[in-house]
Amino acid sequence: MSLVLAFDTATSATVVGLLQPGGAAIERRDDPVAGERPRHAQMLLALCEDALRAAGATWADVGRIGAGVGPGSFTGLRIGVATARALAQARSIEVVAVSTLEALARGAMSAGPATHDVLAVLDARRGEAFVAAFGDHPPPAAAAVQPPALAGLGGAGWVAVGDGAVRYRGELEPAGIEVPPDADPRHRVSAAALAGLAAAGTPIPVATLVPDYVRLPDAQVQHRRVAAGP
């Protein structure tokens, strides 16, 4: 039995999907409530092991690891990518990089009414959003944009999902872009979509698995400001 184990820590949630040959994905997740700190470091391996137990499997049965590489939380991404690299190296498991935005979009496309054109939008803080459009054409590279620019990326018939879509509903809905209710599960990264993308992806050398930050981490921005002086 060769299993695909995928996980993502780019958002506040810790998301794990385990895909068995010919079977549905086993999903495990930890979603902190509003105001709580993410628990990636505490929960990631525990959720992975819980999914393996549910499948009656062990780490020896895992043939591929899919790691969510963002964009998203810098601290969360470092935890997820470092964990994937350590597991892959220690157990000689092949590894695949998975876009967090694509996992978010693909999950929305497979949930509820048929949805083909999706804006995946994550809150990037600093008054920005990480966004990529997924429709009939290959998606562009993920970008960090100012909220007013979101309205120009979609239009009538498009659905925007993710915590950034919830936060910037006021910029999206006037442009005719649908934003599901705040509690809609389409706003969460799907473990099943994550595992499916990992299974379909191309393995890469472990050393090349790195986070897709899209923009500079906060610490580097602050360092540049200090270095530039008043």
Side-chain angles (χ1 to χ4, degrees):
M1 176 167 57
S2 183
L3 307 178
V4 176
L5 177 70
F7 48 78
D8 187 274
T9 53
T11 69
S12 61
T14 305
V15 185
V16 173
L18 182 67
L19 190 60
Q20 304 174 83
I26 294 172
E27 303 184 43
R28 295 291 183 270
R29 62 186 307 125
D30 176 66
D31 291 283
V33 299
E36 283 189 342
R37 295 179 62 83
R39 296 184 287 264
H40 304 127
Q42 302 97 311
M43 299 301 300
L44 180 53
L45 284 176
L47 291 174
C48 290
E49 290 171 353
D50 189 38
L52 287 170
R53 281 194 296 270
T58 69
W59 285 105
D61 298 310
V62 177
R64 173 176 292 190
I65 291 174
V69 294
S73 158
F74 300 113
T75 300
L77 285 173
R78 286 194 293 270
I79 291 170
V81 168
T83 300
R85 291 180 65 161
L87 289 169
Q89 289 174 333
R91 300 178 180 276
S92 298
I93 302 172
E94 63 184 26
V95 67
V96 174
V98 178
S99 163
T100 301
L101 288 171
E102 185 169 5
L104 176 63
R106 299 302 174 195
M109 289 176 177
S110 64
T115 302
H116 301 289
D117 298 319
V118 174
L119 284 180
V121 189
L122 293 175
D123 185 4
R125 313 302 177 188
R126 300 188 207 164
E128 293 182 327
F130 295 125
V131 60
F134 296 84
D136 293 332
H137 303 288
V145 303
Q146 297 288 328
L150 291 171
L153 298 175
W158 283 75
V159 177
V161 295
D163 58 5
V166 171
R167 179 169 183 178
Y168 297 115
R169 182 185 296 275
E171 284 75 21
L172 293 160
E173 291 184 331
I177 301 169
E178 177 190 350
V179 180
D182 290 6
D184 193 296
R186 285 175 288 177
H187 291 304
R188 306 188 306 180
V189 175
S190 163
L194 192 70
L197 288 170
T202 301
I204 60 174
V206 174
T208 66
L209 181 69
V210 294
D212 180 14
Y213 289 130
V214 172
R215 65 179 189 193
L216 289 174
D218 293 347
Q220 290 187 32
V221 171
Q222 183 62 27
H223 177 75
R224 290 190 175 188
R225 288 174 179 166
V226 171

